[in-house]
Amino acid sequence: MSWTDERIATLKKMWESGSTASQIADELGGVSRNAVIGKAHRLGLKSRPSPVKANEAKAAKPKPAAKPVAKAPAAKPAPRPSAASAAAPAKPVAKQPARADAAVPSQPLPNKTPDLPKIVSVGPGGFLRQGPGDQQAPIPPAPPRRLVPAKPDPSIADKTSLLDLSDKVCRWPMGHPGEPDFHFCGEQVNPGFPYCVEHCGRAYQAQLPRGARRPPPPLPFGGPRVR
DNA sequence: CCCTGATTCGC
DNA sequence: GCGAATCAGG
């Protein structure tokens, strides 16, 4: 496989979306994880949370040629809290601590809740997915104001592809990643959220008292994938 | 072991 | 430019 413009664009988009190299490679197909990483570097894309580069701020050892066994007794004065801890016990397909920081803006609505929990993750297609089990987190964004009736925007005559995603369009996935008709909602977003008003209602649901909860969770995207 | 990204280096 | 091999941390 060669790196066509589209493949490079997809690579960039997914890389910046927080998808792991493995996910990107899997989505692109025909390339290995290393190929993706290598290409990403050649493109100038810099790696975000690199588990390997987490610390290492003083000693630089770019070449593994010399490895002096300079192991001091080493006290640990700096207790480094691991910030990357995803509490996701349910992993249907693959575990992926993917982050979606860029896609989840901070709490815009000065409501009661202090902060907006990140209840989204990045799925295999680079789309944002909400785990069904994540619904229990304190979910603030009950629309405080009157909901605007979904107004069809004429600017979205065509489908919104992965490459068309931006902070302005709804990222709610329609269909299945990888399929030819897979696209995103593309509606104008509810300001401060990655989804439009309608899909915000799907993504964020009020926490009902125990017992009154509705078992059937909303289907995040068209349902289980059928291959 | 698994995963991750970084880097190197022969092609 | 490409990516397998390798390294290195979690």
Side-chain angles (χ1 to χ4, degrees):
Chain A
M1 279 303 233
S2 60
W3 285 106
T4 64
D5 267 8
E6 293 183 359
R7 290 167 64 83
I8 292 177
T10 303
L11 163 59
K12 283 184 181 176
K13 202 77 185 182
M14 293 185 69
W15 186 270
E16 290 163 5
S17 293
S19 301
T20 67
S22 297
Q23 291 175 320
I24 301 174
D26 187 71
E27 181 68 22
L28 287 175
V31 290
S32 67
R33 176 184 74 95
N34 280 327
V36 169
I37 294 177
K39 183 59 180 176
H41 280 215
R42 261 171 260 123
L43 287 171
L45 300 176
K46 286 172 290 299
S47 67
R48 317 124 298 162
S50 164
V52 176
K53 294 282 187 179
N55 48 12
E56 204 67 62
K58 49 186 184 306
K61 44 182 168 126
K63 297 190 188 305
K67 293 180 69 176
V69 190
K71 289 292 183 179
K76 283 186 165 182
R80 187 179 55 83
S82 61
S85 61
K91 302 176 181 66
V93 182
K95 59 175 183 179
Q96 40 200 358
R99 310 185 343 178
D101 42 27
V104 180
S106 56
Q107 166 79 289
L109 304 176
N111 227 341
K112 301 173 184 176
T113 47
D115 55 85
L116 176 67
K118 299 181 179 180
I119 58 175
V120 294
S121 61
V122 178
F127 64 94
L128 298 178
R129 164 205 291 160
Q130 171 204 17
D134 296 344
Q135 305 242 359
Q136 322 203 15
I139 300 176
R145 298 164 184 73
R146 182 176 306 276
L147 290 182
V148 181
K151 48 173 171 42
D153 193 28
S155 68
I156 54 163
D158 205 352
K159 293 174 183 175
T160 301
S161 75
L162 176 66
L163 307 176
D164 295 323
L165 287 181
S166 74
D167 294 336
K168 299 285 186 274
V169 302
C170 176
R171 303 166 120 92
W172 190 268
M174 316 282 279
H176 301 285
E179 260 156 36
D181 62 334
F182 174 65
H183 60 285
F184 296 84
C185 170
E187 183 60 84
Q188 180 182 352
V189 295
N190 189 7
F193 294 94
Y195 305 121
C196 66
V197 173
E198 177 183 354
H199 285 136
C200 270
R202 301 278 300 270
Y204 310 105
Q205 300 205 349
Q207 173 68 64
L208 299 177
R210 308 202 328 167
R213 221 172 298 164
R214 295 184 297 187
L219 42 157
F221 42 92
R225 171 144 206 178
V226 277
R227 282 195 195 268

